[in-house]
Amino acid sequence: MMTNGQIQQFKQFSTFPSLGEFNQAVKKWMHTYGESFTKGEKVALIRLTRYCVKVVGVANVKIGTILKVIHEEFGGHGISRSTFKRMIAKAKGIGMIKVIELKRNSGGQSSNLYVFQPYPTDPSEVSKKISAQASPQTTSKQVKSSNVSSSQSIELPNREQMNHHKAKENIKTNPQEKEITKRKKSADHTYTSDAVPSSFKHLAKSFFDCSETIEELWKMVRISAYQHSFEKDPQIMLQVATESFKQTVRAMKKKTIRKPIAYFYGVITKKFDEYYVSQIAEMTVSEKADHLSPSIQNVHWLYA
């Protein structure tokens, strides 16, 4: 076990020639495996990368230090130690990070050394890791299904069970409840919440003249923007939402889309990904952070 010391003594473990290449590697890792991490785990990972500047891709920091900084940064809303450890376990599992245990000069275990790894150049390696992550779930399903004996007979439902829905239909509904339901269904775009930008409401009403649907569409925009840290950029949110909605409408005219809102969410998530990558790609380490949107300044690891 190695002894703890100044971070410069661990230069031999760095696998990146520059901070730019480290940035690109982390971006590729998260593009492929980002969905495997929760929001809290992503916050922990981003904070850890900010300690990888002096020796590119290598961090030697106490877990308690990271938790304290996150707690202060988010106004008392931090993450737990277990969340940080889960993030490390996931990152190790996909090959993104190697953890080296260190000891104090006086004896006893010290803070770990976290060494980030380059993104694999061989696509087959990525496929193997993705398959390895999915295999435990498949195995558990197979075990559950194997516990069911093929000789067991299946009991068919009786007539009363099959007709239970007819009994529910016979239950009388309060006339007042019927009227409220009718009003809710017939509420057009004029009943849309003020939280939805007027320009998006006017665009959406041409195809979905229903306040509930329009609000649900904008809810998808807010969720995706929050996941990509654009929730504080209303101009970007509106621009991406408009482009995504138009693309969804074009798709609806060409083919049958059973779930338009889900399709819209998929489009807008992809566009936020592209928008984020395009902004980061235009930046270099020497450029000032104020060229980026405020939300990206808060999360991007280059501006630690």
Side-chain angles (χ1 to χ4, degrees):
M1 185 180 292
M2 298 180 59
T3 57
N4 200 350
Q6 296 295 326
I7 186 64
Q8 285 79 5
Q9 75 177 21
F10 301 117
K11 286 185 178 180
Q12 56 181 316
F13 294 101
S14 177
T15 57
F16 300 96
S18 67
L19 193 60
E21 291 195 17
F22 169 64
N23 172 39
Q24 290 296 323
V26 173
K27 186 166 60 179
K28 289 179 180 179
W29 280 114
M30 296 310 295
H31 178 74
T32 305
Y33 298 100
E35 294 182 356
S36 302
F37 295 86
T38 65
K39 185 172 181 62
E41 291 165 355
K42 288 179 181 178
V43 170
L45 179 60
I46 291 172
R47 173 52 62 177
L48 180 62
T49 60
R50 293 182 179 179
Y51 290 89
C52 297
V53 177
K54 290 184 178 180
V55 176
V56 180
V58 179
N60 178 216
V61 58
K62 296 179 181 179
I63 297 178
T65 301
I66 291 182
L67 298 183
K68 181 180 178 181
V69 172
I70 294 175
H71 183 82
E72 294 174 352
E73 182 178 352
F74 289 90
H77 301 284
I79 62 173
S80 64
R81 181 177 291 267
S82 59
T83 298
F84 183 88
K85 289 184 175 181
R86 283 197 304 270
M87 178 275 292
I88 293 296
K90 290 180 181 180
K92 285 176 60 179
I94 62 177
M96 182 182 185
I97 292 178
K98 286 185 178 180
V99 180
I100 300 175
E101 294 184 355
L102 303 177
K103 66 177 182 180
R104 298 186 180 92
N105 293 327
S106 58
Q109 186 175 353
S110 179
S111 56
N112 292 329
L113 189 70
Y114 303 101
V115 183
F116 282 80
Q117 302 300 306
Y119 187 80
T121 55
D122 186 1
S124 62
E125 292 296 323
V126 179
S127 301
K128 289 178 182 178
K129 290 174 182 177
I130 294 176
S131 300
Q133 284 188 321
S135 59
Q137 297 178 355
T138 305
T139 304
S140 62
K141 290 181 180 179
Q142 292 174 348
V143 171
K144 289 181 180 179
S145 61
S146 63
N147 291 333
V148 180
S149 174
S150 59
S151 61
Q152 291 178 339
S153 60
I154 301 175
E155 183 180 355
L156 296 175
N158 56 38
R159 185 180 298 275
E160 292 180 357
Q161 291 174 326
M162 294 179 67
N163 294 333
H164 73 281
H165 62 284
K166 293 184 178 180
K168 291 183 179 180
E169 290 177 355
N170 293 330
I171 299 176
K172 293 183 178 180
T173 306
N174 189 318
Q176 186 176 2
E177 292 180 356
K178 284 186 176 181
E179 182 63 24
I180 293 174
T181 303
K182 183 179 179 181
R183 289 181 181 179
K184 285 184 177 179
K185 290 182 178 180
S186 61
D188 60 15
H189 70 278
T190 58
Y191 292 89
T192 304
S193 170
D194 292 337
V196 181
S198 58
S199 57
F200 183 79
K201 178 176 68 176
H202 290 308
L203 174 65
K205 74 174 184 179
S206 302
F207 302 91
F208 302 102
D209 192 11
C210 172
S211 59
E212 185 177 355
T213 302
I214 296 174
E215 290 173 1
E216 187 67 17
L217 288 168
W218 188 250
K219 179 182 177 182
M220 297 299 103
V221 176
R222 293 177 60 190
I223 291 174
S224 186
Y226 179 76
Q227 292 174 340
H228 293 79
S229 300
F230 282 107
E231 72 276 10
K232 295 182 180 179
D233 291 303
Q235 186 175 357
I236 293 177
M237 289 175 61
L238 182 59
Q239 179 181 344
V240 176
T242 302
E243 294 174 358
S244 300
F245 185 80
K246 290 180 178 179
Q247 182 174 330
T248 301
V249 171
R250 285 196 298 269
M252 291 173 61
K253 290 183 177 180
K254 292 181 180 179
K255 58 184 178 180
T256 302
I257 297 178
R258 298 178 61 182
K259 297 181 179 180
I261 294 179
Y263 185 91
F264 172 74
Y265 179 74
V267 174
I268 200 168
T269 298
K270 184 177 180 181
K271 284 192 175 294
F272 270 126
D273 283 337
E274 294 173 351
Y275 201 95
Y276 178 84
V277 172
S278 65
Q279 283 205 355
I280 296 301
E282 293 174 359
M283 298 298 298
T284 61
V285 180
S286 60
E287 287 179 320
K288 294 182 179 179
D290 57 5
H291 287 286
L292 283 174
S293 60
S295 55
I296 293 182
Q297 294 178 31
N298 293 333
V299 301
H300 196 250
W301 47 84
L302 289 181
Y303 300 100

